[in-house]
Amino acid sequence: MTTRSVTMPFPARIKTELQIDPVMLGLVLALLMGGFVILASASISISDNVTNNPFFYIQRQLLAAVIGAGAGFVCLFVPMQVWKSLGPVMLLLGLVLLMVVLIPGVGREVNGSTRWVRIGIMNLQVSEPARLCFILYLAGYLVRRNKSVREEFTGFLRPMVVLSVACVLLLAEPDFGATVVLLATALVMMFVAGARIRDFLVFFTVALLALAALAVASPYRMQRLTGFLDPWADPFNSGFQLTQSLIAIGRGEWFGVGLGDSVQKLFYLPEAHTDFVFAVYAEEFGLVGSLLLIALFLALLWRVFKLAMRAADAERFFEAYIAIGLGTWLGIQAFINIGVNMGLLPTKGLTLPLISYGRSSLIITMICIALLLRIHHELAVDAKPVNRKRGSKGGKS
């Protein structure tokens, strides 16, 4: 008599160890570590002059990196489905942040702009977390209302109205640069989601007219928008920052003057450790070093957008929109910062991600990287075949 014993298949336990993208992580660490070196060189003179501590700014940046790494580590273990369900909460949080900073006595004013709120040991620039909140909200909206976005103007208009309110609040601070980055990022996300070109044209025309009217109504904005066209016409007033930045870049020539040997950072170039850190870097490392830095940013963006395409191929569209939004944000901000330093764009007051001094920017950027690594992890886990124990056949008796 032949008997056969069959073991019922049970799903094997799926391994949940983190699947980290080593290329993306390596690029981020290269930019971050290089940023500490650049910042230490660019800030040493002003730190010593202002605080009698030559490492004051780099120490604060290192503390921000620790906070950002801790927050990012927590985000690595939060499923993307949780962020998707929190979309409306993220929207509300972003709007609240932008409104709170405008309350007299709450927002802190620096250089004529009220962009910061004191939280514990640091000032938080509210536009940074608010922008992340809006990207998370918009990604969820594009998944829920994708058909409406593709076929109806109202589907396109709803999130644009919400983001327009956010832009009005940003302009009230004022923070023109953050407004441009938020709008551009949102429009790219909408375009990728399949919004119609004519809807873009209508909204873009209205937005352009509004921004033009705002610039004309504010003489200082018009001066900033036109001053970069010929900074040498007024090199000691409106063109001072740009002329000093161009002098620094020109002194770098092919291979730079050497790490720590920049002259322009010695109280010639304003904001050498924040908005114009790239000019100091170009002076010390030259054209070759500048191209290497730009190549690192391009490689990181390529990796992020490749991640977005993988997510779209796996029909995880929320994750794809998140990756597109975060990649666009980082790319536009880096492009604007470098463009401002080179005189290609008017001054916007935006940091160079992972490089410039800016604790809020660094913390939020590291959280963004953690979200991207989480997307990679979930895609890697989903792509793994689930091994099932096969039934075993008994012998003859």
Side-chain angles (χ1 to χ4, degrees):
M1 179 180 178
T2 301
T3 62
R4 178 178 295 174
S5 62
V6 179
T7 303
M8 295 298 293
F10 290 94
R13 175 175 287 181
I14 300 175
K15 295 183 178 179
T16 57
E17 292 88 350
L18 283 175
Q19 307 292 320
I20 299 297
D21 182 351
V23 177
M24 183 185 297
L25 184 60
L27 291 169
V28 171
L29 290 177
L31 287 168
L32 184 62
M33 296 299 106
F36 288 142
V37 175
I38 299 165
L39 179 60
S41 175
S43 66
I44 191 167
S45 298
I46 188 174
S47 295
D48 189 42
N49 182 66
V50 174
T51 67
N52 293 321
N53 176 8
F55 303 109
F56 176 76
Y57 288 112
I58 190 64
Q59 288 170 350
R60 290 158 71 95
Q61 189 82 338
L62 285 169
L63 177 59
V66 171
I67 296 173
F73 185 75
V74 172
C75 291
L76 274 176
F77 294 93
V78 179
M80 295 306 298
Q81 188 63 34
V82 173
W83 296 111
K84 185 177 179 180
S85 65
L86 290 176
V89 177
M90 292 293 103
L91 173 62
L92 181 60
L93 177 60
L95 292 173
V96 168
L97 284 171
L98 295 182
M99 289 187 286
V100 165
V101 76
L102 299 176
I103 299 175
V106 177
R108 296 174 65 89
E109 182 177 334
V110 179
N111 295 330
S113 297
T114 308
R115 305 176 185 176
W116 293 267
V117 173
R118 186 71 180 179
I119 297 181
I121 60 175
M122 63 174 287
N123 292 326
L124 176 68
Q125 186 173 351
V126 296
S127 63
E128 299 289 343
R131 192 182 302 126
L132 177 57
C133 290
F134 293 135
I135 288 175
L136 292 170
Y137 156 74
L138 183 57
Y141 176 87
L142 293 175
V143 172
R144 296 190 307 271
R145 306 288 185 180
N146 188 261
K147 188 173 185 298
S148 178
V149 169
R150 289 172 177 269
E151 299 177 0
E152 302 172 5
F153 180 69
T154 53
F156 176 90
L157 187 62
R158 288 190 193 103
M160 289 295 102
V161 169
V162 173
L163 293 174
S164 296
V165 172
C167 290
V168 170
L169 293 173
L170 283 170
L171 291 172
E173 296 180 5
D175 195 341
F176 197 84
T179 303
V180 171
V181 173
L182 176 60
L183 270 182
T185 301
L187 288 174
V188 169
M189 292 175 68
M190 298 286 286
F191 178 80
V192 171
R196 298 177 299 185
I197 298 296
R198 64 183 182 186
D199 296 341
F200 275 101
L201 293 177
V202 172
F203 182 82
F204 183 75
T205 301
V206 173
L208 191 62
L209 291 174
L211 292 176
L214 186 65
V216 172
S218 304
Y220 88 94
R221 282 200 182 98
M222 180 59 71
Q223 187 180 37
R224 292 182 102 183
L225 288 173
T226 58
F228 83 103
L229 297 175
D230 187 11
W232 304 102
D234 191 7
F236 298 106
N237 189 11
S238 62
F240 185 73
Q241 277 185 312
L242 182 51
T243 54
Q244 297 303 312
S245 176
L246 293 175
I247 290 171
I249 294 173
R251 286 191 75 246
E253 298 185 351
W254 283 98
F255 300 102
V257 298
L259 178 62
D261 290 335
S262 166
V263 172
Q264 292 304 111
K265 70 184 181 184
L266 303 177
F267 313 112
Y268 291 103
L269 178 61
E271 309 297 339
H273 61 303
T274 54
D275 301 350
F276 286 88
V277 72
F278 178 80
V280 176
Y281 173 80
E283 183 180 2
E284 295 187 347
F285 292 92
L287 176 62
V288 173
S290 299
L291 291 177
L292 176 61
L293 181 64
I294 293 172
L296 286 174
F297 273 111
L298 290 176
L300 177 60
L301 294 179
W302 170 80
R303 198 69 183 177
V304 172
F305 291 134
K306 186 177 180 181
L307 176 66
M309 290 188 288
R310 286 177 52 210
D313 290 341
E315 297 187 353
R316 301 191 63 151
F317 296 108
F318 176 74
E319 289 82 352
Y321 296 140
I322 290 291
I324 287 291
L326 297 182
T328 302
W329 169 7
L330 294 175
I332 289 177
Q333 188 160 323
F335 173 77
I336 290 177
N337 180 276
I338 294 174
V340 166
N341 278 248
M342 297 178 64
L344 300 176
L345 297 169
T347 304
K348 286 289 182 291
L350 292 172
T351 59
L352 185 59
L354 299 170
I355 306 293
S356 299
Y357 175 74
R359 292 179 292 173
S360 299
S361 175
L362 180 59
I363 292 170
I364 298 301
T365 300
M366 294 183 73
I367 291 175
C368 292
I369 298 300
L371 291 176
L372 293 170
L373 292 175
R374 176 68 197 188
I375 294 172
H376 172 84
H377 163 74
E378 294 191 5
L379 290 175
V381 170
D382 286 352
K384 269 190 172 184
V386 179
N387 297 320
R388 298 179 182 275
K389 185 177 290 185
R390 302 179 65 183
S392 59
K393 296 182 178 180
K396 295 182 179 179
S397 61

